[in-house]
Amino acid sequence: MVRKLLLMVVLVMAAAGFSFIGVQAENLQDQVYALYGRFDAGILTLMYPVGSYDFETQEFSMVSQFDVNELMFGLNLKLPLGLLYVRGAAYTTVGNVMNFSQNGTLGIYGKLGAGLNVLFLTAETGVRLFYLFGDPEFQFNFSPQYFYISLGLSF
């Protein structure tokens, strides 16, 4: 079931055409960043963690094997303003969706950012958000210390 869903999402994104292909770095702690491969097609987005980098120790560690539960998918909206643009996105992981019936909660990640398009190159930065849907205590996290940076090609 999960593989069929993943294949369907990839086929829809391929048919829509990729609008962004690149890497995204998100800070996890003070000097540790998670690295993701990011693919956007229209309003759909896919992200997968490829590794992490620690600035203090100068160590890069790669993800050893593919785990479909770590695949992130969601929606993004991009408002172009000439060379600049504003982006908002919301996404979750396949694992969160599959476990929703058991836990009754769904972690929804988001980002608000701005970027610059120069020819085919794109640079984007912004802040990350987190919301735990279904949590009776309404857990919402919006902190400017949690940010992301994306670099890639835009079509």
Side-chain angles (χ1 to χ4, degrees):
M1 172 67 179
V2 174
R3 291 181 191 197
K4 289 180 184 178
L5 177 65
L6 176 62
L7 180 62
M8 184 176 70
V9 168
V10 169
L11 289 175
V12 166
M13 290 184 75
F18 291 116
S19 59
F20 177 86
I21 298 173
V23 294
Q24 178 170 309
E26 297 182 352
N27 70 325
L28 299 176
Q29 299 167 355
D30 288 335
Q31 295 294 320
V32 179
Y33 292 83
L35 303 174
Y36 295 88
R38 188 176 113 195
F39 305 100
D40 294 346
I43 64 168
L44 302 175
T45 188
L46 281 177
M47 291 186 352
Y48 188 77
V50 294
S52 63
Y53 183 75
D54 187 346
F55 271 103
E56 286 183 23
T57 62
Q58 300 292 311
E59 291 182 18
F60 175 74
S61 61
M62 249 177 86
V63 172
S64 59
Q65 62 184 351
F66 180 78
D67 183 7
V68 73
N69 292 322
E70 297 296 317
L71 180 69
M72 296 181 170
F73 66 96
L75 302 173
N76 74 72
L77 296 173
K78 181 178 173 181
L79 176 64
L81 305 167
L83 291 176
L84 301 174
Y85 64 87
V86 178
R87 177 186 305 280
Y91 48 94
T92 189
T93 64
V94 171
N96 281 343
V97 172
M98 294 302 176
N99 294 329
F100 179 69
S101 61
Q102 295 169 353
N103 338 13
T105 59
L106 179 66
I108 300 173
Y109 306 93
K111 56 186 172 184
L112 294 172
L116 173 68
N117 284 330
V118 178
L119 296 175
F120 293 109
L121 302 175
T122 299
E124 178 181 324
T125 187
V127 294
R128 298 184 308 138
L129 307 132
F130 177 76
Y131 173 64
L132 190 58
F133 177 78
D135 184 14
E137 297 178 12
F138 187 73
Q139 182 180 350
F140 179 76
N141 181 5
F142 176 74
S143 177
Q145 69 195 29
Y146 296 112
F147 64 91
Y148 74 94
I149 299 169
S150 296
L151 300 171
L153 301 175
S154 204
F155 307 99

